[in-house]
Amino acid sequence: MSPHTRRRRTLARHGQQRTPGAVSQLLKFIAIGLSVVLVSGLGVAAYVAYDLTSTVSANAVELEGTEELPPDIGEYKGGFNLLLTGVDTCEEAYAQYFGERCSGADSEGTLNDVNLLVHVSEEPRRITVVSFPRDLMLGIPACEDDKGNMHSAMSKQPLNTAYTDGGLNCVAKTITQLTGQEIQFAASVTFGGVIEITNAIGGVDVCLANPIKDKYTGLDMAAGTHTVQGLEALQFLRTRHGIGDGSDLGRIGNQQQYMSSLVRKLISSDTLGNFPMMLKLANTGLSNMETSTSLANPTMIAQIALAVKSVPFEDIVFLQYPTGTDADNPNKVVANKSAAQAMWDAINENAQLQVTHENTANDGVVVTDPVPETPAVPDPAATAPATEEPTNVVALPNSIKGNSAAQQTCSNGNVR
């Protein structure tokens, strides 16, 4: 069969249907990435190197096609990209929470159901997190799996089949082929750890503009502000039917609310000063983490931490990759290439991004009030205030959804 027409057998969970477990990884790898970065930024890279390097290095994979990287983050011209991928491997300790996904006919295969590309710009530092829908139909390049088997290229498949073809490296190749963005670092994580992570951090505050009652996840929450942790946090990240139009695109917005709140908590609260908590988060995370060889280096993790630790809230922006409905399958989406190009152009220019999309009843969240500004971090080496250059502000096409960490969003809940 021609590599351009070969089609992978579609599992039931690929479409916009019930996917009870996969999105639980979102919390886990965000907490892993942020906690490890922030721990290193607190000056304990030596501890991480001593205790965890062997674990991380054993699972490290090489990213194909990546140019030789300089030893210092400051030498990365144009900034750098980190791919965070959640894969839906079932783990025995947590399988009870995922129903048929881990025990029934829907339990086969390993899919990359959560895909985030984190771009950290050069100075002045800005962070842009782009979420890619799992049902995005696109070309998947030829990939070699961990057993040395070569999988031929496919012209149109869901993004979340890339991991099956060639693991983390194949997901990175697929995202690079779609976006033109070179990926220097990558990590993937499996099920497990979500309850422990949220309990360890003391929960994350989320806001509901309307009640959520979702029979598929068991989530039942009243309107207002809640601190979610443990199983309830897992249910909050899983819910799709309980928000907006019930689609996976709406769920991305809800997940981004969680990410924004988590970022604000880690930066603004005393979490950074709680040494035992940060070490616990790092240890829990890295033991369940697969990374690229470029990231299996605590010194590099420490440099990334130093690069991002003082970015203001308004310059930490969460975006959803722009899409349109697939003409061949209304339950899938395809890339909106013109809007995506405008987004990448602005990101590559290190512009301050302005989201112009106005959320509707179909979206997963509504935007409410701004949050307090990022606390100022004085530079002891500074001798005089620097002269600020005019900020390059780019208004994104209104087809691009998202928000900055400086904005408070609330779940657009419904009862189903």
Side-chain angles (χ1 to χ4, degrees):
M1 183 177 292
S2 167
H4 298 288
T5 59
R6 180 170 66 91
R7 298 182 63 85
R8 179 169 303 286
R9 185 171 67 84
T10 302
L11 301 178
R13 63 186 181 279
H14 288 187
Q16 295 187 13
Q17 301 148 3
R18 263 196 310 169
T19 55
V23 297
S24 67
Q25 296 160 105
L26 178 66
L27 168 60
K28 181 179 174 183
F29 65 65
I30 292 168
I32 290 168
L34 289 175
S35 63
V36 172
V37 164
L38 292 170
V39 167
S40 300
L42 289 171
V44 296
Y47 172 88
V48 176
Y50 176 78
D51 195 52
L52 300 173
T53 297
S54 60
T55 299
V56 177
S57 298
N59 296 322
V61 298
E62 196 73 35
L63 296 183
E64 185 180 344
T66 301
E67 296 180 3
E68 184 176 354
L69 303 178
D72 190 277
I73 284 290
E75 298 179 24
Y76 284 60
K77 302 303 180 185
F80 56 90
N81 291 308
L82 167 63
L83 173 69
L84 296 176
T85 297
V87 294
D88 65 356
T89 304
C90 289
E91 294 171 300
E92 184 177 352
Y94 305 99
Q96 59 183 312
Y97 299 116
F98 308 124
E100 292 184 1
R101 166 60 195 96
C102 293
S103 60
D106 201 29
S107 62
E108 60 180 284
T110 300
L111 308 173
N112 50 298
D113 271 351
V114 180
N115 304 276
L116 305 177
L117 186 61
V118 182
H119 177 79
V120 180
S121 75
E122 59 188 358
E123 298 288 353
R125 294 290 187 193
R126 294 188 172 94
I127 301 173
T128 309
V129 182
V130 180
S131 297
F132 296 83
R134 61 190 176 89
D135 297 316
L136 176 62
M137 302 297 289
L138 75 176
I140 296 180
C143 295
E144 183 177 352
D145 63 26
D146 58 0
K147 297 180 181 179
N149 300 317
M150 181 60 69
H151 298 257
S152 59
M154 294 178 285
S155 61
K156 190 177 182 182
Q157 287 290 306
L159 171 60
N160 68 346
T161 63
Y163 192 89
T164 304
D165 264 12
L168 181 61
N169 173 58
C170 195
V171 181
K173 287 182 67 176
T174 301
I175 295 294
T176 293
Q177 178 175 278
L178 172 68
T179 65
Q181 297 286 313
E182 182 181 355
I183 296 173
Q184 289 83 15
F185 308 100
S188 68
V189 288
T190 63
F191 282 167
V194 55
I195 292 175
E196 288 76 7
I197 288 289
T198 52
N199 286 338
I201 204 171
V204 173
D205 293 339
V206 296
C207 169
L208 275 66
N210 310 298
I212 294 177
K213 189 170 184 179
D214 181 1
K215 65 181 180 181
Y216 296 100
T217 63
L219 185 65
D220 189 352
M221 299 177 69
T225 301
H226 303 260
T227 301
V228 294
Q229 60 187 89
L231 180 59
E232 188 175 42
L234 176 67
Q235 293 169 327
F236 181 82
L237 289 170
R238 286 172 50 197
T239 188
R240 170 170 70 82
H241 296 279
I243 53 173
D245 62 359
S247 72
D248 187 58
L249 301 182
R251 177 163 52 188
I252 287 176
N254 202 50
Q255 293 168 348
Q256 289 177 337
Q257 179 203 169
Y258 184 95
M259 287 189 282
S260 293
S261 183
L262 177 60
V263 166
R264 291 194 296 268
K265 178 170 185 174
L266 291 177
I267 292 177
S268 300
S269 72
D270 61 357
T271 302
L272 296 183
N274 190 328
F275 185 76
M277 177 185 291
M278 299 309 294
L279 290 182
K280 182 178 180 180
L281 290 173
N283 274 294
T284 301
L286 283 176
S287 63
N288 295 284
M289 192 175 190
E290 175 190 37
T291 74
S292 59
T293 53
S294 56
L295 197 60
N297 180 345
T299 300
M300 184 60 70
I301 295 175
Q303 290 186 20
I304 294 174
L306 294 174
V308 306
K309 69 174 184 176
S310 299
V311 176
F313 290 158
E314 60 268 23
D315 286 329
I316 303 174
V317 180
F318 300 90
L319 301 177
Q320 187 175 135
Y321 186 84
T323 60
T325 302
D326 184 3
D328 298 326
N329 186 340
N331 289 323
K332 306 291 184 182
V333 294
V334 293
N336 180 337
K337 294 184 179 179
S338 61
Q341 188 59 55
M343 178 181 71
W344 296 123
D345 287 345
I347 291 173
N348 293 336
E349 292 172 7
N350 196 15
Q352 189 172 70
L353 305 179
Q354 181 181 44
V355 176
T356 64
H357 174 80
E358 295 186 4
N359 288 11
T360 70
N362 290 329
D363 291 309
V365 293
V366 295
V367 179
T368 56
D369 299 324
V371 300
E373 295 182 359
T374 311
V377 180
D379 182 0
T383 57
T387 302
E388 293 188 4
E389 298 181 358
T391 301
N392 177 21
V393 180
V394 172
L396 297 173
N398 62 14
S399 56
I400 299 177
K401 303 176 183 180
N403 61 274
S404 76
Q407 293 173 296
Q408 174 67 61
T409 60
C410 295
S411 301
N412 187 18
N414 59 47
V415 177
R416 298 195 178 191

